[in-house]
Amino acid sequence: MNPTERRLIGHIAAAHATAHAIELSYAVLLTRIQFDFGTRDVVMGAIATVFGWAFGSTAIPAGFLTDRLGSRQVLVYAFAGSAVMALLVGLAQNGWWLAAGLAGLGLTSGLYHPAGLSAMAQGVRQRGMALGLHGVAGNLGQAMWPLLLTGTPISLAIVFGWRLGFFAVAGLSAVLAVFLARAHLPVHGESEVLSAEDMAEPPAEHEAHPRNLLTPLLLTYAAFVLSGIVYRGVITYLPKHLEGMVSDDFGGSFVSVALVLGATGQFVGGSISQRVRLERMAPVTSAMAVPALILTAIVGGPALVVVSSAFVFFYFASQPVFTGLIADYSPPGAVGRSYGVSFFAGFGLGSLGGVIAGALVDTWDTQAAFLGLTLFMAMVVVLSVTLWSLAERRYRGITPATVGSST
């Protein structure tokens, strides 16, 4: 990697860590907010779904804005808006105000992923490694934020209350917005936006694969929806599950342990994707997450920390794989838009996982919620196997003459 690529990775990694710190704040503080407002689990899950829908709904417009304005400019809008909205959440006096504030926070922070991933996918030649490092940063942001908020006896929310957690989000977002506004992050030579000439010239992989890539792209979007349901349900109720099954006071610190393993999974998945075809990796990483999620539902005590960490490892190891597939299947000049659709699928439609898991917790308990989420993870495996099968047929259909004619 050259210095420009390393600088790009550093800036986007910091933004990704902050975006996921924002996203995880509600889940980490959920128990304390629920105690303060006296609301039911299903309502808290519904509020998580409101945030998730908002978080995903701006992904599509963010993708179009990224293709038009460039990633950096969209990131400035994302974090400047998040600073304002996090402040409003911290001032919430009831559930309606909380839901409205979190909806606004979701709308602004949801601009991040199409912009950040588009920059990584197009601005770094070693794409798999770049996407893996991008994921590592996101997981570390998720891992460190619970520790800062609730993981120790002197954490912010334990000492000062849950509101200070959102005030901290506001301050961090404001600093990052100013930092990005002063940066220059070229992803196409010295330009931050793809030129019309570059849009008109298809990349080699699209020429080498003349068959329609729409079907695998749609299947990948569907996998994003299903894995998003799992993600939203797990990330919302894993702190509560660990608090109930391991430790009442320091569930957040155990979530941090699990998410550090997720960062390792991102790095491992990104590294292997440099050498192994993505469609071959997807079924393996997805399938290995299923038994770990089942065990997360049924075991307790210290073993729960181990198996939940294993699930997080395998789940996040698949992320560089599926985000890489989006770039592979996208038409030239539309990578930002494709990431917008995929993250609307994962974070918008997938946010139903919050209310699904909340309803299961309200009716039974967190163990039932994690068992229910296993069904959605199993469907991701089915879609992954389908993508692999289609890819094998597609690659078998490429003759040396076909490849040669495209060079």
Side-chain angles (χ1 to χ4, degrees):
M1 294 181 187
N2 60 41
T4 299
E5 290 174 323
R6 288 195 292 271
R7 184 171 64 253
L8 175 67
I9 291 173
H11 282 75
I12 301 300
H16 194 207
T18 304
H20 278 294
I22 293 170
E23 183 207 6
L24 194 59
S25 293
Y26 174 69
V28 172
L29 299 170
L30 183 147
T31 302
R32 289 164 176 81
I33 298 171
Q34 185 176 18
F35 178 80
D36 195 7
F37 290 162
T39 50
R40 297 169 57 198
D41 281 301
V42 69
V43 174
M44 300 303 288
I47 292 174
T49 299
V50 168
F51 173 83
W53 270 99
F55 192 72
S57 66
T58 47
I60 293 177
F64 280 90
L65 287 171
T66 296
D67 289 333
R68 184 175 181 83
L69 303 177
S71 294
R72 184 189 61 82
Q73 192 63 51
V74 175
L75 294 178
V76 172
Y77 297 151
F79 291 107
S82 295
V84 175
M85 292 301 170
L87 183 63
L88 293 177
V89 173
L91 295 172
Q93 298 300 309
N94 54 54
W96 291 105
W97 185 340
L98 177 70
L102 283 169
L105 185 59
L107 290 171
T108 53
S109 59
L111 295 170
Y112 169 77
H113 277 93
L117 281 165
S118 180
M120 287 294 210
Q122 297 180 91
V124 182
R125 288 164 296 174
Q126 293 178 276
R127 190 186 67 195
M129 181 61 71
L131 291 174
L133 291 172
H134 175 265
V136 167
N139 279 93
L140 289 178
Q142 288 178 316
M144 297 308 296
W145 202 240
L147 208 57
L148 180 64
L149 294 183
T150 64
T152 70
I154 58 171
S155 294
L156 292 177
I158 291 177
V159 177
F160 300 105
W162 65 266
R163 297 178 190 278
L164 191 62
F166 284 101
F167 295 152
V169 166
L172 185 61
S173 298
V175 169
L176 188 57
V178 172
F179 185 66
L180 288 167
R182 299 170 60 87
H184 176 61
L185 302 178
V187 295
H188 309 286
E190 288 303 312
S191 174
E192 293 188 338
V193 185
L194 190 66
S195 68
E197 292 78 10
D198 290 331
M199 289 184 188
E201 182 180 351
E205 70 230 30
H206 285 271
E207 295 180 2
H209 304 311
R211 298 190 182 187
N212 195 340
L213 293 174
L214 178 60
T215 297
L217 181 61
L218 292 176
L219 289 173
T220 307
Y221 288 154
F224 266 80
V225 174
L226 295 169
S227 63
I229 289 172
V230 175
Y231 173 81
R232 181 59 55 194
V234 169
I235 211 69
T236 301
Y237 283 102
L238 184 58
K240 184 180 180 73
H241 187 55
L242 289 168
E243 286 171 356
M245 303 291 287
V246 184
S247 169
D248 290 337
D249 295 322
F250 304 118
S253 61
F254 296 123
V255 172
S256 295
V257 171
L259 289 171
V260 167
L261 265 293
T264 307
Q266 293 265 18
F267 183 78
V268 171
S271 299
I272 297 175
S273 71
Q274 291 289 119
R275 302 184 297 274
V276 179
R277 192 182 301 160
L278 299 181
E279 291 91 347
R280 290 179 177 173
M281 282 188 65
V284 176
T285 54
S286 300
M288 294 180 81
V290 173
L293 185 54
I294 293 172
L295 290 173
T296 298
I298 63 178
V299 305
L304 176 57
V305 179
V306 175
V307 296
S308 63
S309 297
F311 165 74
V312 171
F313 176 89
F314 291 119
Y315 178 88
F316 282 107
S318 69
Q319 285 211 339
V321 177
F322 284 101
T323 52
L325 288 173
I326 293 293
D328 281 349
Y329 298 149
S330 299
V335 175
R337 277 164 277 183
S338 293
Y339 277 125
V341 173
S342 67
F343 278 88
F344 170 73
F347 287 113
L349 300 178
S351 66
L352 286 170
V355 73
I356 291 170
L360 290 170
V361 172
D362 210 40
T363 304
W364 291 286
D365 52 25
T366 54
Q367 290 180 296
F370 283 90
L371 284 174
L373 293 171
T374 302
L375 298 176
F376 295 96
M377 197 68 222
M379 287 189 276
V380 175
V381 177
V382 173
L383 290 177
S384 300
V385 171
T386 305
L387 283 170
W388 168 75
S389 177
L390 289 173
E392 291 299 310
R393 280 188 244 163
R394 190 165 62 248
Y395 278 91
R396 281 199 299 269
I398 301 172
T399 64
T402 302
V403 177
S405 66
S406 66
T407 58

